[in-house]
Amino acid sequence: AKLARQKSLTKGLMDELTKKLKIAGEISEGLKKSLALAKAEAKLRERSEKLKLTALETKDKEMQATLQEERNKLKEQINAINENKLEAKKAAEALQKDLEIKAQKKLKNERDQADKKLIELKGKLEASAQKKKALEKALLDEKDEKVRAALTKQLKEEKARQETMNKKIDVSDGKLKALQLELSLRKKAITAVSYTHLRAHETREDLVCRLLLEKKKKN
């Protein structure tokens, strides 16, 4: 009876131990599954973060490419503006030079005409002086009163003519000197423009170029 009771107790303990081992196995399986799920979640989270980083890097690269493209376009625009400014400057210089040459030619022609007119007036004055001398001599030699009166009248007219020619000569001489002075000044003239004038007539493209140059100097 004692042996049977011990066997019964032993069997009960074995059954209870088996149940506990079974429960422990189930708990162990649950823990394994939980650990596997946690690892899967971690991998998923890591993959998600990597995808986000990849997307951000791609977006950043696209933005950098866009910015570089904008910079290239701006450089091309600035180069085109500089080329246009250079061409405009050359055209303006050529035009100014052409106008200056034409102005100098016109002044030279006017000077030559004034010089020619002055020579003609001096020639006429010399002829008038010779005529005056001849009239004065004829007046001294002439004894007839009527003829003397006529010669005196002619002499007065010749003196008045000489005075008129002297005035014309003075005017022509003054004009000739003025033309020579203007021609000399034109040859030495240098056109200068102030910085204030340039800033007052600055366009948007000029402003961009100026700011870029100032930034380049600072760097």
Side-chain angles (χ1 to χ4, degrees):
K2 285 181 181 180
L3 186 61
R5 196 181 297 136
Q6 285 179 352
K7 284 182 179 179
S8 177
L9 287 171
T10 304
K11 187 178 181 183
L13 288 171
M14 289 295 292
D15 291 339
E16 189 176 351
L17 183 62
T18 303
K19 286 179 181 179
K20 287 182 179 181
L21 287 171
K22 188 176 181 182
I23 290 168
E26 289 175 356
I27 290 170
S28 178
E29 288 294 327
L31 287 172
K32 286 180 181 179
K33 287 180 180 179
S34 297
L35 185 60
L37 285 171
K39 286 182 179 179
E41 285 179 0
K43 285 182 179 180
L44 187 62
R45 198 178 294 111
E46 186 180 355
R47 187 177 177 187
S48 177
E49 291 295 328
K50 284 182 179 179
L51 287 172
K52 284 180 181 178
L53 286 171
T54 305
L56 286 171
E57 287 175 357
T58 305
K59 192 174 181 180
D60 186 52
K61 286 179 181 178
E62 289 176 356
M63 287 179 68
Q64 286 181 357
T66 306
L67 285 171
Q68 187 62 37
E69 190 177 350
E70 291 295 327
R71 286 196 198 98
N72 293 335
K73 285 181 180 179
L74 185 60
K75 283 182 181 178
E76 289 176 0
Q77 289 177 0
I78 291 168
N79 291 332
I81 290 165
N82 289 332
E83 288 176 2
N84 290 333
K85 283 175 71 177
L86 187 62
E87 289 176 1
K89 186 179 178 182
K90 287 180 180 178
E93 288 175 353
L95 181 61
Q96 187 178 0
K97 190 176 180 180
D98 187 49
L99 289 172
E100 192 64 34
I101 290 169
K102 287 180 179 178
Q104 287 184 11
K105 283 182 179 178
K106 187 179 178 182
L107 283 171
K108 283 181 181 178
N109 290 332
E110 289 179 1
R111 185 195 64 183
D112 293 341
Q113 288 175 4
D115 196 21
K116 188 177 179 181
K117 188 176 181 181
L118 186 62
I119 291 168
E120 288 177 359
L121 285 170
K122 285 181 179 179
K124 287 180 181 180
L125 186 62
E126 288 177 2
S128 178
Q130 290 176 1
K131 189 176 180 181
K132 182 184 172 186
K133 286 180 181 179
L135 286 169
E136 287 174 348
K137 187 178 179 183
L139 186 61
L140 290 171
D141 295 339
E142 188 61 48
K143 294 180 181 180
D144 189 355
E145 291 297 329
K146 290 183 179 180
V147 177
R148 284 175 68 83
L151 288 171
T152 303
K153 185 180 179 182
Q154 287 182 11
L155 191 58
K156 286 181 180 178
E157 289 176 353
E158 202 60 40
K159 283 181 180 179
R161 193 178 292 111
Q162 280 186 358
E163 288 177 359
T164 303
M165 280 192 287
N166 278 325
K167 288 180 182 178
K168 287 183 178 179
I169 286 170
D170 290 339
V171 171
S172 295
D173 192 41
K175 187 178 179 181
L176 182 62
K177 286 179 180 178
L179 287 168
Q180 285 176 342
L181 180 62
E182 188 178 352
L183 189 61
S184 177
L185 290 173
R186 275 189 175 276
K187 286 179 179 178
K188 295 178 181 179
I190 299 173
T191 305
V193 180
S194 67
Y195 181 74
T196 309
H197 176 83
L198 290 173
R199 288 293 299 274
H201 294 80
E202 192 176 51
T203 61
R204 188 179 295 175
E205 291 80 8
D206 293 334
L207 176 63
V208 172
C209 291
R210 182 170 62 79
L211 292 174
L212 286 171
L213 287 170
E214 288 177 358
K215 186 178 179 182
K216 189 176 180 181
K217 286 179 182 178
K218 286 179 182 178
N219 293 332

PDB file of all heavy atoms in Angstrom, residues 66-91:
ATOM      1  N   THR A  66      19.462  71.641 -59.558  1.00  0.00           N
ATOM      2  CA  THR A  66      18.656  72.801 -59.982  1.00  0.00           C
ATOM      3  C   THR A  66      19.395  74.105 -59.729  1.00  0.00           C
ATOM      4  O   THR A  66      19.418  75.007 -60.581  1.00  0.00           O
ATOM      5  CB  THR A  66      17.305  72.814 -59.233  1.00  0.00           C
ATOM      6  OG1 THR A  66      16.644  71.567 -59.417  1.00  0.00           O
ATOM      7  CG2 THR A  66      16.416  73.939 -59.737  1.00  0.00           C
ATOM      8  N   LEU A  67      20.007  74.194 -58.525  1.00  0.00           N
ATOM      9  CA  LEU A  67      20.773  75.401 -58.192  1.00  0.00           C
ATOM     10  C   LEU A  67      21.957  75.591 -59.132  1.00  0.00           C
ATOM     11  O   LEU A  67      22.239  76.706 -59.575  1.00  0.00           O
ATOM     12  CB  LEU A  67      21.270  75.312 -56.742  1.00  0.00           C
ATOM     13  CG  LEU A  67      20.225  75.545 -55.646  1.00  0.00           C
ATOM     14  CD1 LEU A  67      20.816  75.219 -54.286  1.00  0.00           C
ATOM     15  CD2 LEU A  67      19.737  76.988 -55.669  1.00  0.00           C
ATOM     16  N   GLN A  68      22.646  74.502 -59.446  1.00  0.00           N
ATOM     17  CA  GLN A  68      23.781  74.574 -60.361  1.00  0.00           C
ATOM     18  C   GLN A  68      23.328  75.016 -61.743  1.00  0.00           C
ATOM     19  O   GLN A  68      23.997  75.825 -62.417  1.00  0.00           O
ATOM     20  CB  GLN A  68      24.477  73.203 -60.437  1.00  0.00           C
ATOM     21  CG  GLN A  68      25.776  73.216 -61.223  1.00  0.00           C
ATOM     22  CD  GLN A  68      26.820  74.102 -60.614  1.00  0.00           C
ATOM     23  OE1 GLN A  68      26.951  74.189 -59.404  1.00  0.00           O
ATOM     24  NE2 GLN A  68      27.566  74.804 -61.450  1.00  0.00           N
ATOM     25  N   GLU A  69      22.177  74.493 -62.164  1.00  0.00           N
ATOM     26  CA  GLU A  69      21.624  74.884 -63.468  1.00  0.00           C
ATOM     27  C   GLU A  69      21.288  76.371 -63.483  1.00  0.00           C
ATOM     28  O   GLU A  69      21.569  77.076 -64.465  1.00  0.00           O
ATOM     29  CB  GLU A  69      20.362  74.052 -63.744  1.00  0.00           C
ATOM     30  CG  GLU A  69      19.840  74.203 -65.162  1.00  0.00           C
ATOM     31  CD  GLU A  69      18.648  73.309 -65.429  1.00  0.00           C
ATOM     32  OE1 GLU A  69      18.350  72.450 -64.572  1.00  0.00           O
ATOM     33  OE2 GLU A  69      18.026  73.466 -66.482  1.00  0.00           O
ATOM     34  N   GLU A  70      20.682  76.859 -62.369  1.00  0.00           N
ATOM     35  CA  GLU A  70      20.361  78.284 -62.263  1.00  0.00           C
ATOM     36  C   GLU A  70      21.631  79.132 -62.283  1.00  0.00           C
ATOM     37  O   GLU A  70      21.674  80.189 -62.914  1.00  0.00           O
ATOM     38  CB  GLU A  70      19.578  78.554 -60.973  1.00  0.00           C
ATOM     39  CG  GLU A  70      18.168  77.983 -60.960  1.00  0.00           C
ATOM     40  CD  GLU A  70      17.272  78.634 -61.991  1.00  0.00           C
ATOM     41  OE1 GLU A  70      17.458  79.831 -62.259  1.00  0.00           O
ATOM     42  OE2 GLU A  70      16.392  77.943 -62.532  1.00  0.00           O
ATOM     43  N   ARG A  71      22.673  78.638 -61.571  1.00  0.00           N
ATOM     44  CA  ARG A  71      23.948  79.363 -61.577  1.00  0.00           C
ATOM     45  C   ARG A  71      24.528  79.440 -62.987  1.00  0.00           C
ATOM     46  O   ARG A  71      25.024  80.488 -63.415  1.00  0.00           O
ATOM     47  CB  ARG A  71      24.949  78.665 -60.646  1.00  0.00           C
ATOM     48  CG  ARG A  71      24.694  78.866 -59.170  1.00  0.00           C
ATOM     49  CD  ARG A  71      25.920  78.480 -58.350  1.00  0.00           C
ATOM     50  NE  ARG A  71      25.587  78.271 -56.955  1.00  0.00           N
ATOM     51  CZ  ARG A  71      25.371  77.104 -56.389  1.00  0.00           C
ATOM     52  NH1 ARG A  71      25.442  75.999 -57.125  1.00  0.00           N
ATOM     53  NH2 ARG A  71      25.073  77.000 -55.110  1.00  0.00           N
ATOM     54  N   ASN A  72      24.481  78.323 -63.699  1.00  0.00           N
ATOM     55  CA  ASN A  72      24.999  78.295 -65.074  1.00  0.00           C
ATOM     56  C   ASN A  72      24.230  79.262 -65.975  1.00  0.00           C
ATOM     57  O   ASN A  72      24.822  79.965 -66.800  1.00  0.00           O
ATOM     58  CB  ASN A  72      24.924  76.874 -65.637  1.00  0.00           C
ATOM     59  CG  ASN A  72      25.878  75.924 -64.929  1.00  0.00           C
ATOM     60  OD1 ASN A  72      26.892  76.352 -64.377  1.00  0.00           O
ATOM     61  ND2 ASN A  72      25.559  74.644 -64.931  1.00  0.00           N
ATOM     62  N   LYS A  73      22.891  79.266 -65.809  1.00  0.00           N
ATOM     63  CA  LYS A  73      22.072  80.189 -66.606  1.00  0.00           C
ATOM     64  C   LYS A  73      22.429  81.638 -66.301  1.00  0.00           C
ATOM     65  O   LYS A  73      22.538  82.469 -67.198  1.00  0.00           O
ATOM     66  CB  LYS A  73      20.579  79.951 -66.317  1.00  0.00           C
ATOM     67  CG  LYS A  73      20.017  78.701 -66.959  1.00  0.00           C
ATOM     68  CD  LYS A  73      18.538  78.556 -66.649  1.00  0.00           C
ATOM     69  CE  LYS A  73      17.958  77.289 -67.285  1.00  0.00           C
ATOM     70  NZ  LYS A  73      16.524  77.130 -66.959  1.00  0.00           N
ATOM     71  N   LEU A  74      22.610  81.920 -64.982  1.00  0.00           N
ATOM     72  CA  LEU A  74      22.968  83.278 -64.575  1.00  0.00           C
ATOM     73  C   LEU A  74      24.329  83.671 -65.145  1.00  0.00           C
ATOM     74  O   LEU A  74      24.510  84.806 -65.622  1.00  0.00           O
ATOM     75  CB  LEU A  74      22.987  83.371 -63.049  1.00  0.00           C
ATOM     76  CG  LEU A  74      23.225  84.761 -62.442  1.00  0.00           C
ATOM     77  CD1 LEU A  74      22.139  85.728 -62.884  1.00  0.00           C
ATOM     78  CD2 LEU A  74      23.287  84.690 -60.936  1.00  0.00           C
ATOM     79  N   LYS A  75      25.289  82.749 -65.114  1.00  0.00           N
ATOM     80  CA  LYS A  75      26.603  83.023 -65.693  1.00  0.00           C
ATOM     81  C   LYS A  75      26.504  83.300 -67.187  1.00  0.00           C
ATOM     82  O   LYS A  75      27.151  84.217 -67.712  1.00  0.00           O
ATOM     83  CB  LYS A  75      27.541  81.827 -65.448  1.00  0.00           C
ATOM     84  CG  LYS A  75      28.073  81.748 -64.034  1.00  0.00           C
ATOM     85  CD  LYS A  75      29.017  80.573 -63.884  1.00  0.00           C
ATOM     86  CE  LYS A  75      29.542  80.470 -62.464  1.00  0.00           C
ATOM     87  NZ  LYS A  75      30.441  79.298 -62.283  1.00  0.00           N
ATOM     88  N   GLU A  76      25.690  82.496 -67.878  1.00  0.00           N
ATOM     89  CA  GLU A  76      25.498  82.714 -69.315  1.00  0.00           C
ATOM     90  C   GLU A  76      24.884  84.081 -69.585  1.00  0.00           C
ATOM     91  O   GLU A  76      25.286  84.796 -70.517  1.00  0.00           O
ATOM     92  CB  GLU A  76      24.599  81.611 -69.890  1.00  0.00           C
ATOM     93  CG  GLU A  76      25.271  80.249 -69.970  1.00  0.00           C
ATOM     94  CD  GLU A  76      24.324  79.155 -70.442  1.00  0.00           C
ATOM     95  OE1 GLU A  76      23.142  79.478 -70.708  1.00  0.00           O
ATOM     96  OE2 GLU A  76      24.764  77.991 -70.544  1.00  0.00           O
ATOM     97  N   GLN A  77      23.888  84.447 -68.758  1.00  0.00           N
ATOM     98  CA  GLN A  77      23.260  85.764 -68.912  1.00  0.00           C
ATOM     99  C   GLN A  77      24.267  86.885 -68.675  1.00  0.00           C
ATOM    100  O   GLN A  77      24.300  87.868 -69.419  1.00  0.00           O
ATOM    101  CB  GLN A  77      22.087  85.906 -67.944  1.00  0.00           C
ATOM    102  CG  GLN A  77      20.869  85.052 -68.319  1.00  0.00           C
ATOM    103  CD  GLN A  77      19.756  85.171 -67.303  1.00  0.00           C
ATOM    104  OE1 GLN A  77      19.881  85.881 -66.308  1.00  0.00           O
ATOM    105  NE2 GLN A  77      18.662  84.470 -67.536  1.00  0.00           N
ATOM    106  N   ILE A  78      25.093  86.700 -67.624  1.00  0.00           N
ATOM    107  CA  ILE A  78      26.099  87.726 -67.317  1.00  0.00           C
ATOM    108  C   ILE A  78      27.116  87.832 -68.454  1.00  0.00           C
ATOM    109  O   ILE A  78      27.503  88.941 -68.854  1.00  0.00           O
ATOM    110  CB  ILE A  78      26.806  87.392 -65.985  1.00  0.00           C
ATOM    111  CG1 ILE A  78      25.820  87.569 -64.819  1.00  0.00           C
ATOM    112  CG2 ILE A  78      28.024  88.277 -65.776  1.00  0.00           C
ATOM    113  CD1 ILE A  78      26.311  87.002 -63.513  1.00  0.00           C
ATOM    114  N   ASN A  79      27.549  86.679 -68.984  1.00  0.00           N
ATOM    115  CA  ASN A  79      28.494  86.689 -70.110  1.00  0.00           C
ATOM    116  C   ASN A  79      27.885  87.377 -71.326  1.00  0.00           C
ATOM    117  O   ASN A  79      28.547  88.168 -72.014  1.00  0.00           O
ATOM    118  CB  ASN A  79      28.914  85.263 -70.467  1.00  0.00           C
ATOM    119  CG  ASN A  79      29.777  84.629 -69.391  1.00  0.00           C
ATOM    120  OD1 ASN A  79      30.480  85.333 -68.669  1.00  0.00           O
ATOM    121  ND2 ASN A  79      29.731  83.319 -69.275  1.00  0.00           N
ATOM    122  N   ALA A  80      26.594  87.070 -71.583  1.00  0.00           N
ATOM    123  CA  ALA A  80      25.905  87.700 -72.711  1.00  0.00           C
ATOM    124  C   ALA A  80      25.797  89.209 -72.504  1.00  0.00           C
ATOM    125  O   ALA A  80      26.007  90.001 -73.439  1.00  0.00           O
ATOM    126  CB  ALA A  80      24.509  87.092 -72.886  1.00  0.00           C
ATOM    127  N   ILE A  81      25.492  89.608 -71.247  1.00  0.00           N
ATOM    128  CA  ILE A  81      25.385  91.045 -70.938  1.00  0.00           C
ATOM    129  C   ILE A  81      26.738  91.729 -71.129  1.00  0.00           C
ATOM    130  O   ILE A  81      26.820  92.822 -71.716  1.00  0.00           O
ATOM    131  CB  ILE A  81      24.880  91.241 -69.489  1.00  0.00           C
ATOM    132  CG1 ILE A  81      23.412  90.823 -69.393  1.00  0.00           C
ATOM    133  CG2 ILE A  81      25.028  92.690 -69.042  1.00  0.00           C
ATOM    134  CD1 ILE A  81      22.920  90.630 -67.966  1.00  0.00           C
ATOM    135  N   ASN A  82      27.804  91.063 -70.651  1.00  0.00           N
ATOM    136  CA  ASN A  82      29.146  91.643 -70.814  1.00  0.00           C
ATOM    137  C   ASN A  82      29.527  91.770 -72.277  1.00  0.00           C
ATOM    138  O   ASN A  82      30.116  92.771 -72.697  1.00  0.00           O
ATOM    139  CB  ASN A  82      30.177  90.780 -70.077  1.00  0.00           C
ATOM    140  CG  ASN A  82      30.057  90.906 -68.570  1.00  0.00           C
ATOM    141  OD1 ASN A  82      29.621  91.935 -68.076  1.00  0.00           O
ATOM    142  ND2 ASN A  82      30.436  89.869 -67.848  1.00  0.00           N
ATOM    143  N   GLU A  83      29.181  90.741 -73.065  1.00  0.00           N
ATOM    144  CA  GLU A  83      29.465  90.795 -74.500  1.00  0.00           C
ATOM    145  C   GLU A  83      28.685  91.921 -75.167  1.00  0.00           C
ATOM    146  O   GLU A  83      29.220  92.674 -76.002  1.00  0.00           O
ATOM    147  CB  GLU A  83      29.114  89.457 -75.156  1.00  0.00           C
ATOM    148  CG  GLU A  83      30.093  88.337 -74.813  1.00  0.00           C
ATOM    149  CD  GLU A  83      29.665  86.995 -75.401  1.00  0.00           C
ATOM    150  OE1 GLU A  83      28.628  86.966 -76.095  1.00  0.00           O
ATOM    151  OE2 GLU A  83      30.371  85.993 -75.161  1.00  0.00           O
ATOM    152  N   ASN A  84      27.391  92.050 -74.787  1.00  0.00           N
ATOM    153  CA  ASN A  84      26.572  93.129 -75.355  1.00  0.00           C
ATOM    154  C   ASN A  84      27.119  94.493 -74.956  1.00  0.00           C
ATOM    155  O   ASN A  84      27.149  95.423 -75.779  1.00  0.00           O
ATOM    156  CB  ASN A  84      25.119  92.996 -74.883  1.00  0.00           C
ATOM    157  CG  ASN A  84      24.421  91.801 -75.501  1.00  0.00           C
ATOM    158  OD1 ASN A  84      24.782  91.363 -76.589  1.00  0.00           O
ATOM    159  ND2 ASN A  84      23.435  91.256 -74.825  1.00  0.00           N
ATOM    160  N   LYS A  85      27.552  94.605 -73.685  1.00  0.00           N
ATOM    161  CA  LYS A  85      28.107  95.875 -73.228  1.00  0.00           C
ATOM    162  C   LYS A  85      29.391  96.203 -73.984  1.00  0.00           C
ATOM    163  O   LYS A  85      29.618  97.361 -74.358  1.00  0.00           O
ATOM    164  CB  LYS A  85      28.390  95.799 -71.721  1.00  0.00           C
ATOM    165  CG  LYS A  85      27.147  95.934 -70.856  1.00  0.00           C
ATOM    166  CD  LYS A  85      27.461  95.729 -69.393  1.00  0.00           C
ATOM    167  CE  LYS A  85      28.245  96.878 -68.842  1.00  0.00           C
ATOM    168  NZ  LYS A  85      28.485  96.694 -67.377  1.00  0.00           N
ATOM    169  N   LEU A  86      30.220  95.165 -74.210  1.00  0.00           N
ATOM    170  CA  LEU A  86      31.476  95.377 -74.935  1.00  0.00           C
ATOM    171  C   LEU A  86      31.200  95.806 -76.366  1.00  0.00           C
ATOM    172  O   LEU A  86      31.824  96.745 -76.884  1.00  0.00           O
ATOM    173  CB  LEU A  86      32.297  94.088 -74.900  1.00  0.00           C
ATOM    174  CG  LEU A  86      33.717  94.171 -75.476  1.00  0.00           C
ATOM    175  CD1 LEU A  86      34.552  95.157 -74.672  1.00  0.00           C
ATOM    176  CD2 LEU A  86      34.381  92.809 -75.478  1.00  0.00           C
ATOM    177  N   GLU A  87      30.237  95.121 -77.009  1.00  0.00           N
ATOM    178  CA  GLU A  87      29.875  95.485 -78.377  1.00  0.00           C
ATOM    179  C   GLU A  87      29.297  96.900 -78.441  1.00  0.00           C
ATOM    180  O   GLU A  87      29.617  97.681 -79.344  1.00  0.00           O
ATOM    181  CB  GLU A  87      28.859  94.478 -78.936  1.00  0.00           C
ATOM    182  CG  GLU A  87      29.465  93.105 -79.213  1.00  0.00           C
ATOM    183  CD  GLU A  87      28.426  92.094 -79.677  1.00  0.00           C
ATOM    184  OE1 GLU A  87      27.249  92.497 -79.799  1.00  0.00           O
ATOM    185  OE2 GLU A  87      28.799  90.936 -79.925  1.00  0.00           O
ATOM    186  N   ALA A  88      28.433  97.209 -77.445  1.00  0.00           N
ATOM    187  CA  ALA A  88      27.834  98.551 -77.409  1.00  0.00           C
ATOM    188  C   ALA A  88      28.905  99.611 -77.184  1.00  0.00           C
ATOM    189  O   ALA A  88      28.863 100.693 -77.790  1.00  0.00           O
ATOM    190  CB  ALA A  88      26.786  98.619 -76.300  1.00  0.00           C
ATOM    191  N   LYS A  89      29.870  99.290 -76.312  1.00  0.00           N
ATOM    192  CA  LYS A  89      30.961 100.229 -76.054  1.00  0.00           C
ATOM    193  C   LYS A  89      31.797 100.457 -77.312  1.00  0.00           C
ATOM    194  O   LYS A  89      32.147 101.599 -77.646  1.00  0.00           O
ATOM    195  CB  LYS A  89      31.843  99.676 -74.929  1.00  0.00           C
ATOM    196  CG  LYS A  89      32.922 100.644 -74.478  1.00  0.00           C
ATOM    197  CD  LYS A  89      33.732 100.030 -73.359  1.00  0.00           C
ATOM    198  CE  LYS A  89      34.857 100.987 -72.933  1.00  0.00           C
ATOM    199  NZ  LYS A  89      35.706 100.380 -71.870  1.00  0.00           N
ATOM    200  N   LYS A  90      32.105  99.352 -78.019  1.00  0.00           N
ATOM    201  CA  LYS A  90      32.877  99.478 -79.258  1.00  0.00           C
ATOM    202  C   LYS A  90      32.106 100.287 -80.300  1.00  0.00           C
ATOM    203  O   LYS A  90      32.676 101.144 -80.987  1.00  0.00           O
ATOM    204  CB  LYS A  90      33.194  98.086 -79.815  1.00  0.00           C
ATOM    205  CG  LYS A  90      34.258  97.346 -79.030  1.00  0.00           C
ATOM    206  CD  LYS A  90      34.525  95.981 -79.648  1.00  0.00           C
ATOM    207  CE  LYS A  90      35.598  95.222 -78.874  1.00  0.00           C
ATOM    208  NZ  LYS A  90      35.828  93.869 -79.447  1.00  0.00           N
ATOM    209  N   ALA A  91      30.780 100.006 -80.406  1.00  0.00           N
ATOM    210  CA  ALA A  91      29.957 100.747 -81.364  1.00  0.00           C
ATOM    211  C   ALA A  91      29.895 102.227 -81.006  1.00  0.00           C
ATOM    212  O   ALA A  91      29.985 103.097 -81.873  1.00  0.00           O
ATOM    213  CB  ALA A  91      28.545 100.158 -81.400  1.00  0.00           C
TER     214      ALA A  91
END
